[in-house]
Short mmCIF file of all heavy atoms in Angstrom, two decimals:
data_model
loop_
_atom_site.label_atom_id
_atom_site.label_comp_id
_atom_site.label_asym_id
_atom_site.label_seq_id
_atom_site.Cartn_x
_atom_site.Cartn_y
_atom_site.Cartn_z
N GLN A 10 100.80 -0.89 2.45
CA GLN A 10 101.21 -2.29 2.61
C GLN A 10 102.26 -2.67 1.53
O GLN A 10 103.23 -3.41 1.83
CB GLN A 10 100.03 -3.26 2.46
CG GLN A 10 99.06 -3.16 3.66
CD GLN A 10 99.72 -3.67 4.96
OE1 GLN A 10 100.63 -4.47 4.94
NE2 GLN A 10 99.21 -3.11 6.08
N ASN A 11 102.10 -2.23 0.30
CA ASN A 11 103.07 -2.54 -0.76
C ASN A 11 104.44 -1.89 -0.47
O ASN A 11 105.47 -2.44 -0.78
CB ASN A 11 102.55 -2.07 -2.12
CG ASN A 11 101.40 -2.91 -2.62
OD1 ASN A 11 101.30 -4.09 -2.24
ND2 ASN A 11 100.57 -2.33 -3.51
N ILE A 12 104.39 -0.67 0.14
CA ILE A 12 105.66 -0.04 0.47
C ILE A 12 106.33 -0.70 1.64
O ILE A 12 107.56 -0.96 1.63
CB ILE A 12 105.41 1.47 0.81
CG1 ILE A 12 104.88 2.19 -0.47
CG2 ILE A 12 106.66 2.15 1.31
CD1 ILE A 12 104.44 3.61 -0.23
N ILE A 13 105.57 -1.07 2.62
CA ILE A 13 106.15 -1.77 3.83
C ILE A 13 106.72 -3.09 3.42
O ILE A 13 107.81 -3.51 3.92
CB ILE A 13 105.08 -1.88 4.95
CG1 ILE A 13 104.69 -0.50 5.47
CG2 ILE A 13 105.63 -2.75 6.07
CD1 ILE A 13 103.56 -0.50 6.48
N SER A 14 106.08 -3.81 2.57
CA SER A 14 106.56 -5.16 2.18
C SER A 14 107.61 -5.06 1.08
O SER A 14 108.07 -6.11 0.55
CB SER A 14 105.38 -5.96 1.63
OG SER A 14 104.76 -5.36 0.52
N ARG A 15 108.04 -3.82 0.70
CA ARG A 15 109.10 -3.57 -0.26
C ARG A 15 108.76 -4.06 -1.66
O ARG A 15 109.63 -4.38 -2.47
CB ARG A 15 110.43 -4.20 0.20
CG ARG A 15 110.93 -3.62 1.52
CD ARG A 15 112.29 -4.27 1.89
NE ARG A 15 112.74 -3.74 3.13
CZ ARG A 15 113.41 -2.58 3.28
NH1 ARG A 15 113.71 -1.85 2.22
NH2 ARG A 15 113.84 -2.18 4.47
N GLN A 16 107.50 -4.15 -1.99
CA GLN A 16 107.09 -4.51 -3.35
C GLN A 16 107.18 -3.29 -4.26
O GLN A 16 107.30 -3.43 -5.46
CB GLN A 16 105.63 -5.06 -3.34
CG GLN A 16 105.47 -6.34 -2.58
CD GLN A 16 104.04 -6.85 -2.56
OE1 GLN A 16 103.21 -6.33 -3.32
NE2 GLN A 16 103.78 -7.87 -1.80
N MET A 17 107.00 -2.10 -3.73
CA MET A 17 107.13 -0.86 -4.47
C MET A 17 107.86 0.18 -3.67
O MET A 17 107.88 0.16 -2.43
CB MET A 17 105.73 -0.28 -4.78
CG MET A 17 104.87 -1.12 -5.72
SD MET A 17 103.29 -0.25 -6.07
CE MET A 17 102.52 -1.39 -7.18
N THR A 18 108.51 1.13 -4.39
CA THR A 18 109.07 2.28 -3.70
C THR A 18 107.97 3.34 -3.51
O THR A 18 106.83 3.17 -4.07
CB THR A 18 110.20 2.88 -4.56
OG1 THR A 18 109.66 3.33 -5.83
CG2 THR A 18 111.27 1.82 -4.82
N GLN A 19 108.33 4.38 -2.82
CA GLN A 19 107.31 5.42 -2.56
C GLN A 19 106.91 6.12 -3.89
O GLN A 19 105.73 6.43 -4.07
CB GLN A 19 107.88 6.44 -1.59
CG GLN A 19 108.04 5.91 -0.16
CD GLN A 19 108.48 7.01 0.81
OE1 GLN A 19 108.34 8.22 0.50
NE2 GLN A 19 108.96 6.58 1.96
N ARG A 20 107.90 6.31 -4.74
CA ARG A 20 107.56 6.99 -6.04
C ARG A 20 106.69 6.11 -6.91
O ARG A 20 105.73 6.56 -7.51
CB ARG A 20 108.87 7.37 -6.72
CG ARG A 20 109.70 8.41 -6.06
CD ARG A 20 110.92 8.72 -6.88
NE ARG A 20 111.76 9.75 -6.19
CZ ARG A 20 111.59 11.09 -6.28
NH1 ARG A 20 110.60 11.53 -7.02
NH2 ARG A 20 112.39 11.89 -5.64
N GLU A 21 107.05 4.79 -6.93
CA GLU A 21 106.22 3.85 -7.74
C GLU A 21 104.80 3.73 -7.24
O GLU A 21 103.84 3.72 -8.01
CB GLU A 21 106.92 2.47 -7.80
CG GLU A 21 108.25 2.47 -8.51
CD GLU A 21 108.93 1.16 -8.38
OE1 GLU A 21 108.56 0.34 -7.50
OE2 GLU A 21 109.91 0.91 -9.16
N ALA A 22 104.63 3.66 -5.88
CA ALA A 22 103.33 3.54 -5.26
C ALA A 22 102.51 4.81 -5.52
O ALA A 22 101.31 4.73 -5.81
CB ALA A 22 103.44 3.24 -3.80
N ALA A 23 103.15 5.98 -5.39
CA ALA A 23 102.43 7.24 -5.66
C ALA A 23 101.94 7.31 -7.08
O ALA A 23 100.81 7.79 -7.30
CB ALA A 23 103.35 8.41 -5.33
N ALA A 24 102.73 6.86 -8.01
CA ALA A 24 102.32 6.90 -9.43
C ALA A 24 101.25 5.88 -9.70
O ALA A 24 100.32 6.11 -10.47
CB ALA A 24 103.53 6.73 -10.34
N HIS A 25 101.40 4.72 -9.10
CA HIS A 25 100.43 3.58 -9.41
C HIS A 25 99.07 3.87 -8.80
O HIS A 25 98.05 3.62 -9.46
CB HIS A 25 101.03 2.29 -8.88
CG HIS A 25 100.12 1.10 -9.10
ND1 HIS A 25 99.97 0.50 -10.33
CD2 HIS A 25 99.30 0.38 -8.25
CE1 HIS A 25 99.14 -0.52 -10.26
NE2 HIS A 25 98.73 -0.61 -9.01
N PHE A 26 99.03 4.31 -7.57
CA PHE A 26 97.74 4.51 -6.86
C PHE A 26 97.21 5.95 -6.95
O PHE A 26 96.17 6.28 -6.44
CB PHE A 26 97.85 4.18 -5.42
CG PHE A 26 98.10 2.68 -5.18
CD1 PHE A 26 99.31 2.16 -4.94
CD2 PHE A 26 96.99 1.81 -5.14
CE1 PHE A 26 99.52 0.79 -4.75
CE2 PHE A 26 97.15 0.45 -4.92
CZ PHE A 26 98.45 -0.05 -4.71
N CYS A 27 98.03 6.80 -7.67
CA CYS A 27 97.58 8.25 -7.79
C CYS A 27 97.36 8.93 -6.50
O CYS A 27 96.36 9.60 -6.25
CB CYS A 27 96.35 8.34 -8.70
SG CYS A 27 96.56 7.70 -10.36
N ILE A 28 98.34 8.68 -5.57
CA ILE A 28 98.27 9.31 -4.22
C ILE A 28 99.50 10.20 -4.07
O ILE A 28 100.62 9.79 -4.37
CB ILE A 28 98.24 8.22 -3.12
CG1 ILE A 28 97.01 7.30 -3.28
CG2 ILE A 28 98.28 8.80 -1.72
CD1 ILE A 28 96.99 6.14 -2.31
N PRO A 29 99.30 11.43 -3.58
CA PRO A 29 100.46 12.31 -3.41
C PRO A 29 101.50 11.66 -2.47
O PRO A 29 101.18 11.01 -1.50
CB PRO A 29 99.83 13.57 -2.76
CG PRO A 29 98.41 13.52 -3.16
CD PRO A 29 98.04 12.10 -3.27
N ARG A 30 102.76 11.94 -2.82
CA ARG A 30 103.86 11.33 -2.02
C ARG A 30 103.89 11.86 -0.63
O ARG A 30 104.23 11.18 0.35
CB ARG A 30 105.19 11.61 -2.72
CG ARG A 30 106.34 10.76 -2.12
CD ARG A 30 107.60 11.01 -2.85
NE ARG A 30 108.70 10.30 -2.22
CZ ARG A 30 109.97 10.48 -2.52
NH1 ARG A 30 110.31 11.34 -3.51
NH2 ARG A 30 110.95 9.84 -1.86
N SER A 31 103.45 13.13 -0.43
CA SER A 31 103.43 13.70 0.91
C SER A 31 102.43 12.97 1.80
O SER A 31 102.68 12.78 3.02
CB SER A 31 103.08 15.17 0.82
OG SER A 31 101.79 15.35 0.21
N THR A 32 101.32 12.56 1.22
CA THR A 32 100.33 11.80 2.00
C THR A 32 100.90 10.45 2.38
O THR A 32 100.70 10.00 3.52
CB THR A 32 99.05 11.60 1.15
OG1 THR A 32 98.51 12.86 0.74
CG2 THR A 32 97.99 10.83 1.91
N ILE A 33 101.64 9.85 1.47
CA ILE A 33 102.23 8.54 1.83
C ILE A 33 103.26 8.68 2.95
O ILE A 33 103.28 7.86 3.86
CB ILE A 33 102.90 7.92 0.53
CG1 ILE A 33 101.82 7.63 -0.51
CG2 ILE A 33 103.69 6.70 0.90
CD1 ILE A 33 102.36 7.13 -1.84
N LYS A 34 104.07 9.70 2.87
CA LYS A 34 105.08 9.95 3.93
C LYS A 34 104.42 10.18 5.28
O LYS A 34 104.83 9.65 6.32
CB LYS A 34 105.96 11.14 3.55
CG LYS A 34 106.94 10.87 2.46
CD LYS A 34 107.82 12.10 2.21
CE LYS A 34 108.89 11.81 1.16
NZ LYS A 34 109.74 12.96 0.90
#
Side-chain angles (χ1 to χ4, degrees):
Q10 290 295 331
N11 288 335
I12 295 173
I13 294 175
S14 61
R15 298 182 181 276
Q16 296 180 9
M17 294 182 179
T18 62
Q19 291 185 17
R20 292 182 182 275
E21 292 173 346
H25 179 75
F26 292 97
C27 299
I28 298 175
R30 191 178 175 190
S31 59
T32 302
I33 296 176
K34 287 183 176 181

